[in-house]
Amino acid sequence: MTSKILINALDPEECRIAKVKDGQLEEFHTESAAREITHGNIYKGIITRVEPGLQSVFVDYGAERHGFLQKNEIHSDYFQDNDSGDHSINNIVKRGQELIVQVTKDPVMKKGAVLTTFISLPGRYIVLMPGSKSRGISRKIEEESERTRLKDIINSLKLPDGFGIIVRTAGGSCTKARILRDLKYLLRLWKNINKKGIDESPPALLYKERTLVLRSIRDYFTSDIDEVLIDDEVVYHEVKDFIHIISPKHMRILKFYKGEKPIFTKYQLENQIASIFENRVALKTGGSVVIEQTEAMVTIDVNSGKAIHKKSIEQTAFRANIEAAEEIARQLRLRDLGGLIVIDFIDMKDTKHKLEVEKTIKNYLKTDKARTKVGKISKFGLMEMSRQRIRPSIEFGSYVPCKYCKGKGLIPSTETLGLGFLRRLHLETLKNQVSAIRGIVPVEVADYLLNKKRKEILDLELRHEISIRIEGDGTMRPMESNIVSEK
């Protein structure tokens, strides 16, 4: 069993990271220059409006829309003196009050960011929590002897008053010296953030989370990773310096990818990534899983389709549901679907089969970093569950509201279409005896390629000694394109 982290960072407009296990996509993250990710950033903000009806406040922290801060996310250190004993929102905080806040959910469409005053600073092995007293261990570390060992370590640490820590999953089997080094770094970091918070006038950015690449290495680089491949030299050296700090012994598995084929094409990932954006996911036995995201919840329907029939309808339904449970857990992680999720499994009569399907989905959810709660399958074949969203939706940054359907559907952004077409163009140039290529794309995509990607196209022409012509077709739909090769 081999696990790799592949980083595609050649295009400055888009960075894509994939974690692959035995050729199957297990984790996928993307960040676009067009949409800034602010999750984890820390700001000094000011309360602009108190809403007693919502028991919340709105905070100006420097973004286009004010952030939303609920009462239960306001630390008691910010509470105003109140002799009446009334702890409603309008009596504990006031308009114009300054706060240090952290973004827990990025803005979505017309909704502003969700904020908290309970700060969390993630390191490699631990999370430091200023203003807390709790000390804990990640629930993903299940072995009791290891949990006991780690508890002994964190209880022996001399933490300053008013700080809590949690050992992350990556902290399993970690020595006290490494945890202590991580702790010292995070304490220095918080000291600098706090000092900046005193000096700056709101609204102000106090701390910006690391880049997507470094965040992914910090959060997903585990002992089971056999290889890390990066196709951009600048990013390669950036990651090399970072790994040298957090885990020097793993420097040998970090490699700069120099292959002629694009890195994701080489490892057959493009089709797997494309399937994440489809609402229907095919199962190996012939069935399918249909995923629909609404404003209030996510609905998932399991279809038997052309599934191989067993001895009975019950057995066919059971096997299809077992396979679907594994795929659903994977898709929830890949797409980062959060909130209330309702799964419509194929009807089963046998209670043992229902229990087995419940057990299966719970087992596959154990590898998910997000918190999940799973209910039982009802008499209607429905399972309710909830999942914490730990990053913006996979569509955020890669897709924009469709101007043709007025926001009811999504199409890829011009940048994403352009970059995808450029990858196809690259593959076409690798074919033998091609002297000229004519690419026909929608007008917006053609403008992007000719203005923003002119250098890349010229490089392809010079490297392969061919002529490339890009034409814009005003009648083409956004996702249509055509490549004509001449010999």
Side-chain angles (χ1 to χ4, degrees):
M1 187 176 288
T2 60
S3 293
K4 302 176 188 290
I5 292 178
L6 308 178
I7 299 176
N8 170 219
L10 277 176
D11 296 298
E13 292 95 340
E14 184 181 59
C15 177
R16 305 186 299 167
I17 299 174
K19 183 178 179 181
V20 183
K21 184 177 287 185
D22 292 337
Q24 185 179 47
L25 185 67
E26 290 294 316
E27 301 276 354
F28 179 69
H29 309 279
T30 180
E31 193 167 80
S32 167
R35 300 281 182 94
E36 184 186 10
I37 304 297
T38 59
H39 181 273
N41 287 2
I42 299 174
Y43 299 85
K44 185 176 184 179
I46 186 167
I47 296 175
T48 57
R49 197 164 84 243
V50 179
E51 289 289 348
L54 298 173
Q55 287 294 289
S56 61
V57 299
F58 287 90
V59 179
D60 179 7
Y61 65 101
E64 184 179 348
R65 290 187 180 88
H66 292 176
F68 181 73
L69 178 64
Q70 291 182 308
K71 178 187 171 184
N72 60 1
E73 292 295 337
I74 302 175
H75 196 283
S76 58
D77 286 353
Y78 291 110
F79 289 1
Q80 302 291 309
D81 292 334
N82 181 13
D83 298 329
S84 66
D86 184 356
H87 286 86
S88 57
I89 189 77
N90 51 328
N91 285 322
I92 60 173
V93 291
K94 62 182 181 180
R95 184 182 176 188
Q97 185 175 341
E98 297 178 356
L99 308 163
I100 292 180
V101 294
Q102 187 171 33
V103 177
T104 57
K105 286 185 182 178
D106 278 281
V108 179
M109 295 183 183
K110 295 182 179 180
K111 294 181 179 178
V114 177
L115 309 175
T116 183
T117 61
F118 295 96
I119 308 298
S120 296
L121 290 175
R124 170 63 178 153
Y125 304 112
I126 64 169
V127 176
L128 181 69
M129 300 177 295
S132 173
K133 295 180 181 178
S134 62
R135 301 188 184 199
I137 313 291
S138 167
R139 63 185 174 87
K140 299 293 184 183
I141 302 174
E142 296 180 332
E143 191 178 333
E144 199 55 44
S145 59
E146 178 61 12
R147 291 184 69 85
T148 302
R149 186 186 74 85
L150 290 170
K151 282 179 184 176
D152 291 339
I153 289 176
I154 62 174
N155 286 334
S156 67
L157 296 175
K158 293 182 179 179
L159 272 174
D161 290 338
F163 286 90
I165 62 168
I166 294 177
V167 178
R168 308 185 73 186
T169 307
S173 304
C174 191
T175 63
K176 181 178 180 179
R178 287 183 180 177
I179 290 176
L180 193 59
R181 186 167 67 236
D182 217 13
L183 175 62
K184 287 179 178 177
Y185 161 72
L186 292 174
L187 285 170
R188 286 198 306 271
L189 178 61
W190 174 244
K191 184 179 179 181
N192 292 335
I193 293 169
N194 210 23
K195 183 179 182 301
K196 197 173 180 183
I198 295 170
D199 298 338
E200 296 282 345
S201 298
L205 173 66
L206 305 181
Y207 167 74
K208 187 175 178 61
E209 252 284 34
R210 294 181 183 274
T211 62
L212 174 65
V213 172
L214 297 187
R215 286 201 313 271
S216 299
I217 293 295
R218 180 191 68 195
D219 297 341
Y220 294 94
F221 183 73
T222 52
S223 58
D224 66 318
I225 300 297
D226 305 301
E227 197 172 35
V228 178
L229 293 174
I230 305 172
D231 63 3
D232 181 78
E233 194 168 1
V234 174
V235 175
Y236 166 76
H237 287 294
E238 187 180 357
V239 173
K240 186 178 179 181
D241 292 341
F242 185 62
I243 290 183
H244 181 71
I245 295 170
I246 66 168
S247 189
K249 67 178 182 179
H250 288 105
M251 293 286 288
R252 56 185 174 77
I253 69 172
L254 179 66
K255 296 174 184 175
F256 176 46
Y257 177 77
K258 300 179 181 178
E260 192 165 300
K261 281 187 176 181
I263 187 169
F264 279 17
T265 304
K266 167 75 174 176
Y267 290 92
Q268 300 176 341
L269 293 181
E270 293 292 3
N271 287 339
Q272 292 189 58
I273 292 168
S275 71
I276 299 174
F277 299 97
E278 300 292 335
N279 68 341
R280 185 178 294 270
V281 181
L283 302 175
K284 293 177 183 177
T285 54
S288 64
V289 172
V290 181
I291 303 170
E292 294 289 351
Q293 189 170 9
T294 69
E295 191 169 342
M297 67 174 71
V298 176
T299 60
I300 302 176
D301 185 32
V302 181
N303 294 325
S304 59
K306 298 178 181 179
I308 299 170
H309 291 279
K310 301 293 179 182
K311 294 180 180 178
S312 66
I313 295 174
E314 177 73 14
Q315 280 292 326
T316 300
F318 173 61
R319 291 300 169 195
N321 285 338
I322 287 290
E323 185 185 4
E326 177 184 356
E327 185 59 35
I328 287 168
R330 177 171 168 264
Q331 290 295 328
L332 291 177
R333 189 172 63 250
L334 285 173
R335 300 169 188 237
D336 196 30
L337 297 172
L340 178 63
I341 299 160
V342 178
I343 306 169
D344 184 8
F345 284 107
I346 303 169
D347 289 340
M348 299 176 291
K349 294 181 180 179
D350 195 326
T351 304
K352 289 183 180 178
H353 287 164
K354 291 182 180 180
L355 291 173
E356 190 62 31
V357 172
E358 291 167 9
K359 181 181 176 182
T360 300
I361 197 165
K362 286 177 182 176
N363 284 338
Y364 283 108
L365 284 170
K366 284 181 180 179
T367 58
D368 197 335
K369 286 183 175 291
R371 291 191 300 271
T372 56
K373 289 182 181 179
V374 180
K376 294 185 176 296
I377 297 176
S378 73
K379 63 180 179 180
F380 302 110
L382 301 177
M383 172 187 279
E384 292 181 11
M385 66 170 287
S386 65
R387 182 181 182 276
Q388 170 201 21
R389 173 170 284 170
I390 53 178
R391 66 177 190 273
S393 160
I394 196 70
E395 292 162 348
F396 182 84
S398 297
Y399 282 63
V400 295
C402 177
K403 61 183 180 182
Y404 301 104
C405 62
K406 299 180 181 179
K408 292 180 180 178
L410 293 168
I411 61 169
S413 64
T414 301
E415 291 83 1
T416 300
L417 288 169
L419 293 172
F421 185 80
L422 203 59
R423 293 183 194 112
R424 284 182 57 201
L425 205 61
H426 189 171
L427 289 177
E428 196 68 25
T429 62
L430 298 178
K431 294 181 180 179
N432 294 328
Q433 298 178 340
V434 174
S435 62
I437 295 175
R438 187 161 60 99
I440 307 165
V441 292
V443 174
E444 295 88 349
V445 179
D447 288 344
Y448 171 79
L449 291 170
L450 293 172
N451 289 296
K452 301 288 187 180
K453 290 296 172 184
R454 187 186 298 272
K455 181 179 180 299
E456 286 81 350
I457 294 170
L458 288 173
D459 286 345
L460 285 174
E461 287 183 318
L462 293 172
R463 193 187 313 159
H464 300 282
E465 298 180 349
I466 60 174
S467 170
I468 297 175
R469 182 177 175 180
I470 304 295
E471 296 178 5
D473 185 346
T475 64
M476 269 190 170
R477 293 181 179 180
M479 288 176 282
E480 290 182 337
S481 63
N482 192 20
I483 293 178
V484 180
S485 298
E486 300 173 12
K487 294 185 179 180

